[in-house]
Amino acid sequence: MLVLPTPATEAWKFTHLKRAIETLPDAGGQESTLREIEQALPIFAIPQVVFHHGQPVPELGTPLPAGVELRPLGAKLTGSGQPELDSLDTLAVAHGWELHIHRTPSTPVVLIHMAGTAPTSLQLTVAAKVSATVVEAHHALPHQVGWQHHATSVQLGEGATLKHSVLHLLPDAMGLIVTRRQRQTLAAGATYEGTLGMAGGGLIRSEIHTHLSTGCTYHLTSLSTARAAQHHDVTLQTHHAGEGNAVVIRQRNLQLDESHCVFQGKFWVAAEAQKTNAYMHNHTLLLSDTARASVKPELEIYADDVKCSHGAASGGLNPQHLFYLQARGLNETQARALLVQGYADEFLAAFPSATRSIWAARVQEWLSGGSKAPPPLTDFSTEWLANTKANPEQREVLREYGDTLERPHYER
Amino acid sequence: MKHILEIEALQARVTEADKAILHGVSLTLGAGELHAIMGPNGAGKSTLGYTLAGREGYEVTGGSVKFLGEDLLTQEPDERARAGVFLAFQYPVELPGVNVATFLRTALNAHRTAHGEAELDALAFVKLCRAAMAELHMPESFLTRNVNAGFSGGEKKRFEILQMALLQPRLAILDETDSGLDIDALRIVAAGVNALRTPSNAFLVITHYQRLLEYLKPTHVHIMAAGKIVRSGGPELAIQLEAEGYDSLLGNAA
Ligand SMILES: Nc1ncnc2c1ncn2[C@@H]1O[C@H](COP(=O)(O)OP(=O)(O)OP(=O)(O)O)[C@@H](O)[C@H]1O
Ligand SMILES: [Mg+2]
């Protein structure tokens, strides 16, 4: 029988998964139809694979670019060489899948995970010297409740580069629990540029366990927007095995109501990992008196010639910033919204462009209270400005956040 | 003729410092006038500006202020701004991640809505903004940056004047807008201020230097010391001050 983690385990100190699962409302056995899933899909204008219950839905996929192949993985993920962490590693998975990237593809690819209840497993493999952008978007239908665990493995070959964006874009449903454990191994000279976004759900925990060989670059920018009693947990472990790895981790929580955000970050630096340069920072913006954040950075260093540090800051909005905006005629609500949007935008800039308008619209929705459609904001970019000069009368050049794109044409 | 601003025996304390700073300031600005306020460091000039703008922590303990005939002190800072009071900050604030164009458009539309005018769409806004930026010799690339983030001291001051140009206030309080400006920028900013002067608005210009006033040609000059206006006169007062300094001009009043 599965023994679920509780705060008695150090790594789960701030997240009571067992209690959350045991108090889930009854799912009621409602199955989602293909049509419902299709209607709920976010629109990315790039090739996509849609997974439901961990299995690809062929009717909703679009052709993948050359160099990218989706293939069955076998019954269970092969481990990354690390010891098993807890019972989540023993969950049985029916069929795992591998996204195998053996040549640099011409476009990014998106994997959309529609929440179900079957545990999933997925491996992303990027061959040596290949560069790719992969987006993984976790979604759910509005009536979906239950717990789903995702086991992911990322294998980067020598000199490979992966831009990887994991977005939890769940509805504000307290009965949705998503846990994700990503184990990744970077061969010499590989680069992992990660972005992690969290919105909605009841409880989300995203873990990334990284093993760096030598001369690797690992950047992670993570943004969580939480409201109501939502619980968002980002847990990162980075194992520096060899020399000269460069790591920058930035994580930001934007919290309303009585939400709880958790950040646990650990650098483990082996004696051989000289010239390691690693930094992590957590910033929490608490927008209510009842929001809570738990932050636990850890360093365990066995090498002597390294630069490793961490920093953290938390607090509410700066009254000087608010006054500056009010002195320009913005009322308090507008001033707060603009400042919070600014904190989000600073981090959104790091997300792949294919995800930015969807993620930005979701942040707006979070800020404006969930249900009602947010007012469109113009993204005043350099290209936009150039465009208004080239076509001064052409209104279509306006690019507003949340613009609707065409739905992809599904091959049936 | 209706006055723009009437300050009567204004007293204020800074709560954070737990200290009374303004000890009875009286000042009347008529339409079309430009008043300069000079005075030694720590005299209370910025405190006067913040108190008029309604900053939290600047507590009025006596006196009254009327703006366009209405009680100003009962209004919230944003109401004052939309009613036409503009404060150019001595130290403009950096706003992380807040895009300049979005900020300007939101401020402008807040004013337009308050005056029953339609909001400007992004394109109409950019057109207006481009023209105002050209006047102040500000490159358009500022629109894609974040408010005051990484701006040089002079660029911040120029940006304050750009905001003023877009918002067209009835009362502009400029707190040391000239400090940190190079010689050319000073001329450009002064020209920007002069371009906004009309017979129906008024300016309160806080400065330490005669140079800005040479361009602005104030109608009145006041000297503030220890929380009070201690001398008032015409432009000649500023010239005299530059020549003689506070010590000899004010004696033991300073
Ligand atoms: N928050 C604060 N905490 C402590 N003291 C304060 C605070 N704000 C103002 N003061 C004090 O109030 C006095 C007046 O300050 P103010 O900034 O108004 O002077 P000023 O005339 O603008 O000076 P300057 O020419 O240097 O800009 C000073 O003595 C200052 O130290
Ligand atoms: Mg001052």
Side-chain angles (χ1 to χ4, degrees):
Chain A
M1 208 196 81
L2 186 69
V3 183
L4 289 166
T6 70
T9 312
E10 184 61 22
W12 291 85
K13 197 168 155 174
F14 304 112
T15 298
H16 205 321
L17 184 64
K18 182 170 190 277
R19 189 179 60 200
I21 289 171
E22 285 173 356
T23 55
L24 269 177
D26 191 15
Q30 197 179 352
E31 243 330 302
S32 316
T33 65
L34 191 63
R35 173 117 192 101
E36 281 177 309
I37 295 173
E38 181 179 339
Q39 285 304 309
L41 285 180
I43 304 167
F44 291 93
I46 51 177
Q48 68 181 31
V49 181
V50 177
F51 291 87
H52 189 221
H53 292 306
Q55 301 307 312
V57 183
E59 294 89 338
L60 299 178
T62 58
L64 294 175
V68 183
E69 224 181 300
L70 184 71
R71 58 196 194 193
L73 185 65
K76 205 159 180 266
L77 268 183
T78 47
S80 57
Q82 295 184 6
E84 308 279 70
L85 287 170
D86 50 47
S87 60
L88 297 189
D89 279 342
T90 66
L91 280 169
V93 175
H95 299 287
W97 291 86
E98 181 188 17
L99 191 76
H100 189 258
I101 306 177
H102 53 88
R103 217 169 70 203
T104 297
S106 55
T107 74
V109 170
V110 60
L111 311 178
I112 303 175
H113 304 283
M114 290 304 287
T117 45
T120 76
S121 90
L122 179 76
Q123 177 159 322
L124 300 180
T125 313
V126 184
K129 301 210 167 56
V130 167
S131 301
T133 299
V134 176
V135 176
E136 288 191 72
H138 291 266
H139 278 258
L141 288 166
H143 61 254
Q144 179 71 37
V145 292
W147 169 47
Q148 188 168 34
H149 179 71
H150 302 269
T152 307
S153 156
V154 174
Q155 306 291 329
L156 304 190
E158 282 189 16
T161 298
L162 178 64
K163 288 195 175 148
H164 189 209
S165 189
V166 176
L167 297 173
H168 296 271
L169 301 166
L170 304 177
D172 286 322
M174 289 309 295
L176 266 180
I177 300 177
V178 174
T179 53
R180 190 174 196 284
R181 177 165 292 164
Q182 175 176 326
R183 285 205 168 92
Q184 55 191 19
T185 304
L186 277 67
T191 298
Y192 180 85
E193 290 267 3
T195 46
L196 174 60
M198 281 190 191
L203 185 155
I204 307 173
R205 167 148 161 148
S206 237
E207 296 177 12
I208 304 179
H209 302 260
T210 307
H211 184 94
L212 304 170
S213 51
T214 55
C216 301
T217 305
Y218 167 29
H219 289 172
L220 182 71
T221 304
S222 160
L223 177 68
S224 166
T225 60
R227 61 192 343 272
Q230 285 164 357
H231 183 105
H232 291 173
D233 176 339
V234 174
T235 292
L236 310 171
Q237 286 199 15
T238 307
H239 184 106
H240 301 255
E243 273 194 19
N245 294 304
V247 179
V248 179
I249 292 169
R250 299 187 302 154
Q251 205 265 337
R252 178 168 280 172
N253 305 318
L254 307 180
Q255 295 184 240
L256 293 167
D257 310 327
E258 56 283 343
S259 56
H260 184 191
C261 286
V262 176
F263 175 76
Q264 305 185 102
K266 179 163 184 178
F267 289 148
W268 194 94
V269 183
E272 299 76 36
Q274 302 293 6
K275 312 277 183 221
T276 289
N277 193 342
Y279 177 67
M280 68 177 136
H281 190 269
N282 170 271
H283 172 226
T284 298
L285 186 66
L286 297 167
L287 296 163
S288 88
D289 295 340
T290 43
R292 267 184 322 137
S294 308
V295 177
K296 194 176 110 187
E298 281 179 284
L299 305 176
E300 197 174 327
I301 303 172
Y302 297 99
D304 45 30
D305 182 16
V306 299
K307 271 201 264 179
C308 274
S309 59
H310 60 78
S314 74
L317 290 172
N318 183 328
Q320 287 198 46
H321 295 177
L322 279 169
F323 176 65
Y324 190 71
L325 291 172
Q326 287 170 307
R328 297 299 176 249
L330 278 70
N331 64 33
E332 194 178 332
T333 312
Q334 291 174 310
R336 292 176 73 88
L338 201 60
L339 291 175
V340 174
Q341 184 71 48
Y343 280 112
D345 282 349
E346 271 195 318
F347 273 51
L348 285 172
F351 284 72
S353 55
T355 68
R356 225 172 284 147
S357 70
I358 289 177
W359 190 201
R362 190 67 180 80
V363 171
Q364 284 269 302
E365 202 179 304
W366 161 80
L367 186 59
S368 64
S371 52
K372 66 178 182 256
L377 263 187
T378 303
D379 176 11
F380 289 102
S381 61
T382 311
E383 305 82 67
W384 186 88
L385 286 169
N387 223 338
T388 62
K389 272 199 179 142
N391 324 283
E393 296 313 320
Q394 193 190 323
R395 302 257 145 181
E396 292 84 276
V397 298
L398 287 179
R399 182 148 53 82
E400 309 263 5
Y401 285 152
D403 265 2
T404 25
L405 296 162
E406 289 286 315
R407 278 192 181 278
H409 175 70
Y410 301 119
E411 284 177 21
R412 289 263 151 92
Chain B
M1 196 193 67
K2 201 157 107 183
H3 291 130
I4 303 284
L5 184 70
E6 295 157 89
I7 307 175
E8 278 268 335
L10 183 66
Q11 297 179 27
R13 54 186 291 113
V14 178
T15 30
E16 199 189 322
D18 193 23
K19 201 165 116 188
I21 306 289
L22 300 183
H23 302 284
V25 173
S26 297
L27 200 59
T28 299
L29 273 68
E33 295 178 354
L34 187 147
H35 291 232
I37 295 195
M38 307 182 82
N41 295 131
K45 303 181 298 294
S46 293
T47 302
L48 177 63
Y50 286 140
T51 307
L52 293 174
R55 184 170 185 167
E56 201 176 18
Y58 289 75
E59 186 198 345
V60 175
T61 51
S64 68
V65 179
K66 281 188 173 169
F67 172 61
L68 301 173
E70 308 265 347
D71 184 1
L72 185 69
L73 299 176
T74 54
Q75 300 178 31
E76 293 296 323
D78 55 308
E79 294 176 302
R80 299 181 196 200
R82 293 192 300 271
V85 176
F86 180 89
L87 170 68
F89 284 62
Q90 182 174 0
Y91 304 109
V93 181
E94 292 189 17
L95 303 179
V98 177
N99 169 260
V100 164
T102 304
F103 161 72
L104 292 175
R105 183 183 167 201
T106 311
L108 188 57
N109 281 336
H111 280 72
R112 292 179 64 93
T113 309
H115 296 108
E117 293 161 333
E119 295 199 352
L120 288 184
D121 68 26
L123 214 55
F125 159 75
V126 164
K127 211 169 155 186
L128 190 74
C129 201
R130 278 193 174 120
M133 291 177 92
E135 292 282 321
L136 292 166
H137 300 233
M138 278 185 89
E140 187 175 302
S141 56
F142 276 94
L143 288 177
T144 62
R145 294 175 65 175
N146 293 335
V147 174
N148 289 319
F151 288 22
S152 75
E155 287 167 350
K156 285 181 184 167
K157 297 304 176 81
R158 229 185 270 209
F159 184 51
E160 293 291 293
I161 298 303
L162 174 67
Q163 296 169 47
M164 178 175 77
L166 288 171
L167 299 178
Q168 304 265 329
R170 294 294 300 278
L171 170 69
I173 305 158
L174 310 184
D175 192 353
E176 294 197 25
T177 303
D178 52 342
S179 55
L181 293 180
D182 68 40
I183 294 165
D184 291 342
L186 183 72
R187 197 165 25 77
I188 293 163
V189 162
V193 173
N194 282 331
L196 290 170
R197 288 175 77 172
T198 70
S200 62
N201 60 19
F203 286 78
L204 190 61
V205 177
I206 298 168
T207 181
H208 285 295
Y209 306 108
Q210 161 63 15
R211 189 188 281 275
L212 175 69
L213 301 181
E214 279 169 20
Y215 290 114
L216 295 186
K217 311 227 177 305
T219 55
H220 301 72
V221 174
H222 310 275
I223 298 176
M224 189 171 190
K228 278 189 199 158
I229 305 282
V230 291
R231 283 279 290 271
S232 293
E236 73 289 345
L237 185 57
I239 296 165
Q240 191 187 352
L241 183 64
E242 183 112 319
E244 298 175 20
Y246 290 112
D247 277 354
S248 72
L249 196 70
L250 303 178
N252 52 16

